[in-house]
Amino acid sequence: MDVPDDPRIAIDGGTRVLVVTGAGISAESGLATFRGAGGLWEGQRVEDVATPEGFATDPGLVWRFYSARRAAALAAQPNPAHLALAAVEGRLEDRFLLVTQNVDGLHRRAGSRRLIEIHGSLFRTRCSRCDLPPFADESLHESGAPGCERCAARGRRADLRPDIVWFGELLDSDHLRRVEAFAEEGPGERLVFVAVGTSGNVWPVAGFVDLAAAVGGETWLVNLEPAHNDWRFDRIVRGAAGEVLPVLLGVVG
Ligand code: BJW
């Protein structure tokens, strides 16, 4: 692991860039991260709000938690780190892929389109019981869980839930395959992997750095504080994403 003095990634016509982002990239937009002082998990048991068991026990509590997150995310704006990633995508096109663990929608609002929201989206709702397709939803459900009309039409009661991947739930296998394929394709090209604003606590995303390393990729971590998986990276830049990324990616001088 190396902490470079002048952190810049050389990106040329033979470079492919795979980026993974976490809550830290949206901190400069005013959104709370999960872990640590002032984080979303402070004073809140993860099991109560981010597991299927927590939802089954108290769907109203879970909807209040996610309604507050929806409201905060709607009020936030993308910051220079989100914009820098959208600008690099514009330059590299299909040699770029962005995987975000964030559900706040800020990458899409910054213009990112080669984007996988791997833990879901705050702005989609689905049924906790039937295969009703997830639908766009910005509404706040602060007084209890809304019910599924399709289930009601079938004479049974089921709660709608946020379309978010909670602990113990599987990530979309198409998403995982797309990440693996991107890391492995492009023979003769150099792969650069950049993780930004993530504590490296949560799997399987914390292990994506290994996918990149396994195919000879160069791996970078941009994070304010030490992460759990620091030792897996070749290069580490400690700093705020909104200051570091535009320079690291050559978007500003
Ligand atoms: C800045 C900054 C600035 C601040 N600039 N930086 C292998 C081993 C052990 C356990 C498992 C394993 N494989 C799977 C598991 C179980 C589990 C897991 O990982 N558990 C661990 C906690 C031990 N994983 C799962 O259950 C996943 N499902 C799965 O793998 O299914 C198969 C399976 C199940 C069970 C067992 C085995 C296999 C699903 C994980 C779903 C995670 N969901 C959450 C909540 C929902 C989304 C939401 O509500 O928003 O997703 S948890 C929460 O953590 C959220 C985040 O996306 C995720 C990651 O957090 P993130 O983004 O890293 O945030 P923080 O707060 O932790 O860190 C922010 C960082 O930013 C900090 O380091 C700051 O320093 C930094 N920072 N400001 C730059 N300005």
Side-chain angles (χ1 to χ4, degrees), residues 216-238:
E218 179 182 312
T219 59
W220 291 72
L221 172 66
V222 177
N223 213 52
L224 211 50
E225 297 154 325
H228 271 237
N229 59 351
D230 262 6
W231 59 276
R232 295 174 185 267
F233 288 83
D234 300 322
R235 308 237 158 83
I236 296 200
V237 184
R238 297 253 180 268

Side-chain angles (χ1 to χ4, degrees), residues 21-28 32-36 39-41 46 49-50 65-66 69 100-104 119-120 122 164-171 196-204 222-227 239-242:
T21 62
I25 197 168
S26 296
E28 290 156 82
T33 61
F34 291 92
R35 297 165 180 85
L40 289 164
W41 297 154
V46 180
V49 291
F65 177 74
Y66 281 100
R69 306 260 313 275
T100 188
Q101 299 170 90
N102 299 344
V103 296
D104 58 30
H119 287 167
L122 272 178
I164 302 266
V165 182
W166 287 326
F167 281 115
E169 295 189 312
L170 295 177
L171 281 70
V196 186
T198 176
S199 59
N201 268 294
V202 176
W203 292 78
V222 177
N223 213 52
L224 211 50
E225 297 154 325

